[in-house]
Amino acid sequence: MSEASPCLNCGACCSHFRVSFFWGECTSAGGTVPDELVAPISPSRVAMLGTDCKPTRCIGLVGEVGSQVQCSIYDQRSSTCREFDASWANGEANVDCDAARAAFGLPALQPEFEIPYEQSA
């Protein structure tokens, strides 16, 4: 089974959903998300720039969706991003992951099954 995350050649979620979270996650409030990368959307919430409008694409996304991507602020990303799992990452499908992938013409991720070791007789 491959150790590489399927997210490294996807990025659909970063270009499909608004990434919003509590403003307290911003650096000015003691959090990790750089203030200059967010826009206020309510008195208590902010969104990553690029995800607060259409077409959607997070300012932190580098690369081409469906090919090769990475998050330029991965270690500083918000809880919204930290909590979003690729389908089957934890043994369950994620319908939001599948929907984002479908929006870019990418197939839904499939569960990976490890082949049990067979002893020879």
Side-chain angles (χ1 to χ4, degrees):
M1 182 153 61
S2 173
E3 295 294 320
S5 170
C7 301
L8 294 174
N9 54 18
C10 184
C13 59
C14 307
S15 292
H16 186 68
F17 298 114
R18 180 173 75 180
V19 180
S20 62
F21 47 93
F22 178 61
W23 67 268
E25 293 189 50
C26 295
T27 53
S28 61
T32 60
V33 182
D35 292 333
E36 63 273 12
L37 301 183
V38 301
I41 57 171
S42 79
S44 62
R45 297 189 64 79
V46 295
M48 290 299 297
L49 291 177
T51 70
D52 58 337
C53 58
K54 296 289 181 187
T56 302
R57 183 180 169 102
C58 181
I59 191 170
L61 184 64
V62 177
E64 182 181 339
V65 172
S67 180
Q68 185 176 9
V69 294
Q70 68 180 26
C71 175
S72 66
I73 63 162
Y74 186 80
D75 292 335
Q76 299 169 292
R77 70 195 189 284
S78 71
S79 60
T80 303
C81 299
R82 291 177 191 278
E83 294 167 4
F84 191 92
D85 289 323
S87 274
W88 307 108
N90 292 314
E92 297 179 351
N94 178 340
V95 296
D96 291 328
C97 171
D98 294 342
R101 290 178 61 84
F104 287 91
L106 301 171
L109 295 173
Q110 299 299 312
E112 299 274 340
F113 297 103
E114 289 195 33
I115 301 171
Y117 176 75
E118 294 181 19
Q119 295 180 347
S120 45

